[in-house]
Amino acid sequence: MISKILIANRGEIAVRIMRSCKEMGIETVAVFSDADRKSLHVRYADEAIHIGSSPSTESYLVKEKIINAANSTGSDAIHPGYGFLSENAEFADLVRKEGIIFIGPSSDSIRMMGDKISARRIMTKADVPVVPGTRKKIDDDIKALKVIKRIGYPVMIKASAGGGGKGMRLVYKESESLDALKSARSEAIDAFGDDSVYIEKYLSKPHHIEFQILADRHGNVIHLYERECSIQRRHQKIVEETPSPIMTPELRQEMGEKAIAAARSVNYEGAGTIEFLVDENLNYYFLEMNTRLQVEHPITERVTGVDLVKEQIRIASGEKLAYEQADIFQDGHAIECRIYAEDPENNFMPSPGLIRKITEPMGFGVRTDGYVYEGYEIPIYYDPMISKLITWGRTRDEAIIRMLRSLEEYYIMGIRTSIDFLKRIMENPEFINGQYDTHFIDTHKEKLFCPSEDIAGTEDLAMIVAFMEYLEDAKIKKNGLPPQSFSNWKMRNRKRNISRQ
Ligand code: MV4
């Protein structure tokens, strides 16, 4: 029985995990660095242990300090959140050796999926399609050239110990290959201490679609449908949504089954995510498996009604899954926008500083998972994400309009944020139409980054609603599609006067 959990993390995810713990009557322990002394997770926890100075390498990444804090507070379990030590197999082993429950998969699963070459080999054996390419690491660069020729240009060179886009090189022709191999290896050895690389056929216009998995210790595995994560900037996801605008029921069924097969192939336990690339012909390929809870998990929670953190804790306690596959439905549409303390008009430079005033959006279908408050000083030491804004609608259109209305309401004074940048994404016709892929940010960078354009005010929402109606009509005229149940924003007249029916 778990009665006290140490959350080995900070920021919004630490607060979010503590919320589920409180609802379960589980005591919470926070760990914090010098810079986080006044951070919300420290105030929110039942107990808090100072573990070191501000840099993560002297605090949140120091395994022994986390374990000492767990022992000194009599914590039964440690929840690693995401990032930091959440996918560190050695940490999971150390925690379990201390007789403390690590809320996550076995260290073997973490290791197998952390090594992208072994992950690809395991998925191939499990009959999960992988991106065409090599099955083992390439030691000899001359041999590599032959292999690349067989695969056919363009190819993507990737670090086996990498992931999330680190150590990737796109190669269009033979003359670039040797240099690309060398630079990929040196980046990999610097970043991961392992210069193993593998090669994949480059998919030119893929969608990045991932499936949420829950697996218990009794052989039960379910999926909780997909998340569309193609809107990324430098491999950092910015906007995620579920359902995916390109998904068909048949594809969803098939990819869900493959995601379950992928989890079973490593005897997975806990919450995990299977990432796929989906090409323009709806062929899908395994990309990576994330052996942790993801930043974007709240959109899955909203459309399925499942609290993923509570399920993680129940699974770690040895309980059977509370759900069968037949219990999981997608209800409506959810979108997540990540709010960063960065300045989009200054190449997204981090914008730490004092929060002088903050008003967060509320109302029907709105969730904010944040941790900053008036008077809080955002530190420079950590990831600059300050919150996630999640909106839900009965339809995608309604979720978009609700997101725009919420971004309009979101007011933070004292730092620069990505809020206006996110509004421009929500207003973009290609986004509104659901016709985008992983090149979206790059394709639209002029319009997205230009500060001059005026941003959607309430009045402009009317124009956007009108535009969406136009698109809706266009879709109907073109394909004779039955009108989607459109959001209940209706234009009484075109003179920008919005009213709800
Ligand atoms: C790819 C790809 C196309 N072809 N691999 C891997 C890590 C993930 N964050 C992005 N990854 C990709 N791997 C092959 N063989 C396209 C992506 C990709 C992407 C690549 C560059 C810039 C933005 C991207 C967004 C999503 C997916």
Side-chain angles (χ1 to χ4, degrees):
M1 170 63 190
I2 294 177
S3 56
K4 185 184 280 192
I5 295 177
L6 180 145
I7 292 85
N9 215 301
R10 64 174 300 281
E12 68 85 14
I13 192 61
V15 175
R16 185 261 170 275
I17 291 165
M18 290 176 188
R19 285 183 169 132
S20 291
C21 293
K22 283 190 184 253
E23 290 175 13
M24 297 172 85
I26 294 172
E27 281 186 73
T28 56
V29 176
V31 290
F32 65 95
S33 65
D34 292 349
D36 275 336
R37 205 167 281 283
K38 296 199 174 67
S39 214
L40 189 60
H41 72 288
V42 178
R43 304 178 166 192
Y44 197 76
D46 297 308
E47 292 174 67
I49 305 290
H50 175 256
I51 52 169
S53 48
S54 303
S56 306
T57 47
E58 291 160 38
S59 48
Y60 299 105
L61 288 174
V62 185
K63 305 182 188 71
E64 298 68 31
K65 290 185 172 183
I66 307 283
I67 290 172
N68 290 343
N71 283 329
S72 65
T73 53
S75 299
D76 310 297
I78 290 177
H79 194 306
Y82 51 66
F84 293 133
L85 295 169
S86 62
E87 295 186 293
N88 185 304
E90 293 72 49
F91 179 62
D93 277 337
L94 275 176
V95 168
R96 288 172 170 138
K97 276 200 191 83
E98 289 285 320
I100 299 168
I101 293 170
F102 177 78
I103 298 178
S106 70
S107 55
D108 285 347
S109 298
I110 298 174
R111 259 185 217 97
M112 286 188 281
M113 292 298 103
D115 173 336
K116 304 306 174 201
I117 294 176
S118 89
R120 285 165 54 83
R121 202 171 34 247
I122 291 164
M123 292 309 149
T124 304
K125 252 196 288 198
D127 196 24
V128 176
V130 298
V131 180
T134 54
R135 295 270 182 281
K136 48 188 187 303
K137 75 180 191 175
I138 304 275
D139 285 326
D140 169 333
D141 287 358
I142 302 305
K143 225 189 277 175
L145 291 181
K146 288 202 189 80
V147 167
I148 292 175
K149 249 205 178 95
R150 172 171 58 76
I151 295 170
Y153 289 95
V155 296
M156 198 69 117
I157 300 172
K158 294 184 175 181
S160 184
K166 293 196 198 79
M168 259 168 54
R169 289 293 180 284
L170 175 51
V171 183
Y172 280 100
K173 51 184 190 288
E174 183 161 4
S175 58
E176 301 164 353
S177 299
L178 281 180
D179 287 350
L181 279 161
K182 282 186 176 49
S183 66
R185 285 188 200 286
S186 65
E187 183 177 339
I189 199 91
D190 292 348
F192 317 113
D194 173 354
D195 73 347
S196 310
V197 295
Y198 62 103
I199 294 154
E200 289 179 344
K201 180 77 185 147
Y202 176 63
L203 304 181
S204 61
K205 296 168 69 176
H207 275 249
H208 185 124
I209 294 178
E210 59 190 31
F211 271 71
Q212 180 66 56
I213 286 288
L214 276 177
D216 65 18
R217 282 200 202 130
H218 311 279
N220 303 304
V221 188
I222 60 171
H223 73 79
L224 293 98
Y225 297 107
E226 81 275 8
R227 292 187 289 260
E228 169 75 56
C229 304
S230 295
I231 297 188
Q232 303 186 14
R233 181 178 170 274
R234 296 189 184 163
H235 301 292
Q236 185 70 274
K237 295 165 186 164
I238 298 173
V239 176
E240 303 99 344
E241 64 176 306
T242 182
S244 163
I246 64 158
M247 192 57 79
T248 64
E250 301 72 29
L251 183 61
R252 178 175 288 122
Q253 163 90 21
E254 193 177 328
M255 289 179 74
E257 285 163 6
K258 292 297 184 186
I260 289 172
R264 286 195 189 285
S265 71
V266 288
N267 293 315
Y268 199 75
E269 176 194 322
T273 296
I274 312 292
E275 288 188 355
F276 295 96
L277 289 178
V278 181
D279 71 16
E280 52 271 36
N281 305 317
L282 294 190
N283 299 307
Y284 61 92
Y285 306 94
F286 170 85
L287 184 64
E288 305 176 6
M289 178 175 191
N290 299 319
T291 56
R292 67 178 190 278
L293 185 67
Q294 304 230 190
V295 171
E296 59 270 22
H297 75 275
I299 58 174
T300 298
E301 294 188 317
R302 185 58 184 81
V303 301
T304 62
V306 175
D307 180 322
L308 291 167
V309 170
K310 287 186 179 177
E311 294 316 309
Q312 284 185 295
I313 295 168
R314 291 181 180 127
I315 288 166
S317 310
E319 288 179 34
K320 280 181 60 166
L321 280 187
Y323 304 90
E324 291 178 3
Q325 192 63 60
D327 302 325
I328 307 294
F329 294 96
Q330 289 175 301
D331 171 28
H333 199 104
I335 300 172
E336 175 183 88
C337 283
R338 300 189 188 193
I339 314 288
Y340 282 90
E342 290 176 333
D343 183 359
E345 294 166 22
N346 194 357
N347 196 26
F348 289 87
M349 288 284 285
S351 170
L354 179 68
I355 302 288
R356 297 189 183 287
K357 177 142 188 55
I358 181 166
T359 311
E360 293 185 301
M362 295 189 229
F364 187 90
V366 179
R367 166 178 170 178
T368 57
D369 275 13
Y371 75 104
V372 303
Y373 54 86
E374 230 151 280
Y376 177 66
E377 181 91 28
I378 296 182
I380 55 169
Y381 299 95
Y382 313 111
D383 184 284
M385 188 175 80
I386 50 179
S387 85
K388 294 142 31 177
L389 172 54
I390 297 99
T391 58
W392 175 86
R394 280 172 304 115
T395 64
R396 183 170 188 267
D397 292 343
E398 189 172 55
I400 294 174
I401 283 285
R402 190 161 276 150
M403 180 60 78
L404 270 166
R405 185 270 293 168
S406 300
L407 286 166
E408 185 55 32
E409 262 178 52
Y410 214 147
Y411 179 70
I412 302 179
M413 193 169 95
I415 58 162
R416 291 181 179 283
T417 73
S418 54
I419 290 172
D420 286 348
F421 174 65
L422 291 162
K423 285 183 194 167
R424 292 191 191 105
I425 292 175
M426 289 299 122
E427 293 168 346
N428 179 281
E430 203 176 281
F431 176 79
I432 290 175
N433 227 350
Q435 309 292 323
Y436 61 85
D437 61 34
T438 50
H439 299 284
F440 175 84
I441 297 287
D442 222 31
T443 308
H444 299 283
K445 56 180 179 289
E446 283 72 31
K447 281 183 287 180
L448 293 174
F449 297 151
C450 102
S452 55
E453 207 166 290
D454 67 316
I455 295 297
T458 315
E459 281 201 347
D460 296 355
L461 277 190
M463 298 317 291
I464 290 159
V465 170
F467 178 70
M468 291 164 93
E469 287 183 318
Y470 159 74
L471 283 179
E472 200 60 34
D473 297 347
K475 253 191 266 180
I476 296 162
K477 279 202 193 75
K478 182 169 154 252
N479 309 327
L481 284 175
Q484 263 193 12
S485 60
F486 193 61
S487 73
N488 48 12
W489 286 85
K490 284 276 177 258
M491 287 285 290
R492 224 175 272 293
N493 59 54
R494 295 291 170 198
K495 293 190 195 64
R496 301 177 166 226
N497 172 18
I498 280 191
S499 68
R500 291 181 66 75
Q501 277 194 347

